[in-house]
Amino acid sequence: MTSTLNDDHFYDSPEYDSVTSQHNVLMDPEERERQEEEWRTELAKLEEEIQTLRAVLNTKLRETAELKRRLGITPMVEFKQDLQQGISAIRESEPIQKTNEKLHQLGDTIASSDAYQKTNAAFKSFGAFATRKLGDFRNSTAFKSVEDKVGGAYTSIKNQLSGSRSANEFDDARRNGSNPDNTRNQP
C-alpha cells in the first residue's frame, strides 16, 4: 500500500505515524522543539482563521435571511421554486426527452396496429351491446316489478310516518334536493 501526502487517509495511516516518528528521531531535540512550536503557531493561526470565517459566514447568513424576509421569500416559497426548477430540469433532461419520444412512437405504433384496431372495435361493440341490454332490462317486466315494489315500500313507509314532523321534513328534503335551507323557506 502506497500513500501520498495528497491522500485523504494518509495522516490516519500507520505509515504516517512511522514517518513522523522516524523524522522526529532523526532531529535533534532543539530542532524538534522549534519545529513543533512552528506547527503549533501555524495550527493556532488556522484555527483562528476558521473561527473568523465562521463568524463572517454566520453574519452573511443572517443578512441573507433578513433580505429574504423583507422580500417576502419564505422557506416554503424557496422550496416551491427549488421543486419547480428540479422538475423542469428533469423534464428537459435528455434521457427524459428520449424516453418520452420513444413512448410516443410506441403509442403510435400500437394505435396503428391491426390488433389494437380489432380490440378497439370489439370493446366499442361490447359497450353498445351492454347499453342495449341494460335498456332492454330496464323495460323488462322483472325490472318494472322490482321498481313497483320499491315504490310501494317507499309509499308505505311515508304513509306510516305521515303524521310525524320527521316524515314531512324527509319528504320536503327529497323534493328540494336535500337542502335543509329550502325546507325552512317553504310554507
Side-chain angles (χ1 to χ4, degrees), residues 109-129:
T109 302
I110 289 172
S112 64
S113 72
D114 280 342
Y116 177 81
Q117 296 299 327
K118 289 177 183 177
T119 305
N120 193 23
F123 276 121
K124 283 182 180 179
S125 67
F126 175 74
F129 172 76

Side-chain angles (χ1 to χ4, degrees), residues 15-137:
E15 292 177 28
Y16 178 76
D17 290 340
S18 66
V19 168
T20 56
S21 296
Q22 290 173 2
H23 185 274
N24 286 342
V25 169
L26 297 176
M27 294 176 85
D28 67 62
E30 289 177 7
E31 182 67 25
R32 184 177 32 194
E33 185 65 33
R34 187 187 60 75
Q35 181 69 45
E36 288 178 1
E37 188 58 37
E38 283 179 26
W39 290 341
R40 283 188 195 98
T41 305
E42 187 176 346
L43 179 63
K45 285 180 186 178
L46 288 173
E47 287 176 344
E48 185 178 327
E49 285 179 24
I50 290 170
Q51 291 301 323
T52 302
L53 290 172
R54 282 185 181 150
V56 169
L57 179 61
N58 286 334
T59 301
K60 296 290 183 188
L61 288 172
R62 280 193 300 275
E63 289 174 9
T64 301
E66 179 61 24
L67 288 173
K68 285 180 180 180
R69 186 190 64 75
R70 289 179 185 171
L71 291 170
I73 301 173
T74 64
M76 184 55 104
V77 169
E78 283 185 290
F79 176 74
K80 264 176 68 176
Q81 288 173 347
D82 290 346
L83 189 62
Q84 288 171 345
Q85 287 173 351
I87 289 171
S88 177
I90 290 171
R91 282 186 185 151
E92 295 169 1
S93 70
E94 187 176 336
I96 295 297
Q97 293 295 324
K98 286 182 179 180
T99 302
N100 194 21
E101 182 180 322
K102 293 291 182 187
L103 288 174
H104 281 310
Q105 289 173 355
L106 180 64
D108 292 344
T109 302
I110 289 172
S112 64
S113 72
D114 280 342
Y116 177 81
Q117 296 299 327
K118 289 177 183 177
T119 305
N120 193 23
F123 276 121
K124 283 182 180 179
S125 67
F126 175 74
F129 172 76
T131 302
R132 189 176 69 244
K133 283 298 182 183
L134 285 173
D136 292 347
F137 175 69

Side-chain angles (χ1 to χ4, degrees), residues 141-157:
T141 56
F143 184 80
K144 296 286 185 187
S145 174
V146 170
E147 188 177 34
D148 289 341
K149 288 180 183 177
V150 170
Y154 170 76
T155 303
S156 174
I157 291 172

